[in-house]
Amino acid sequence: MTNHRIDAAAETLTGKAQSALGRLTGDSRLQLDGRLNEVKGKARDAYGRVIDGLDGLVEKAPSDLREPARTGLDFARRKPLLTTGIVAGLALLLSSMGRRR
């Protein structure tokens, strides 16, 4: 379990607690913040699971590709938002190329 997943679990738990406290006190703002934190925590957990899964694939890669793959994973760990943006941009580019044909 990586730091992303540990932080995500803590954020999800905090969000659930905030949401419950908001319901008890009738504070809709606290309830909304709690829901937002819960969703952010779940998203970070999913990202951490993907990174953990890719770690396992790197170990199975041919020896000459392991070091570049590890470098890419280290970048993804340090800059998760940028990595997500790059992947989303590539997906958009590839989907638009498929439509033209």
Side-chain angles (χ1 to χ4, degrees):
M1 184 179 245
T2 62
N3 287 342
H4 285 287
R5 293 190 62 199
I6 293 169
D7 292 343
E11 193 167 17
T12 302
L13 203 64
T14 302
K16 286 181 180 183
Q18 281 178 327
S19 183
L21 185 62
R23 274 194 305 273
L24 285 174
T25 60
D27 186 355
S28 60
R29 175 75 178 167
L30 185 61
Q31 197 173 0
L32 181 64
D33 287 344
R35 292 276 186 196
L36 182 63
N37 285 335
E38 194 174 342
V39 169
K40 285 185 344 187
K42 288 179 182 179
R44 286 178 73 181
D45 182 51
Y47 184 81
R49 272 188 268 136
V50 168
I51 294 295
D52 287 347
L54 290 175
D55 251 346
L57 290 176
V58 167
E59 297 305 318
K60 296 176 185 175
S63 60
D64 58 331
L65 296 177
R66 284 183 190 153
E67 193 55 38
R70 283 189 184 116
T71 303
L73 279 176
D74 288 341
F75 175 82
R77 280 191 183 97
R78 284 185 318 233
K79 304 203 182 266
L81 290 177
L82 182 59
T83 303
T84 304
I86 290 170
V87 170
L90 286 173
L92 184 65
L93 181 67
L94 290 174
S95 70
S96 67
M97 289 174 68
R99 291 181 197 165
R100 290 184 187 178
R101 293 182 182 183

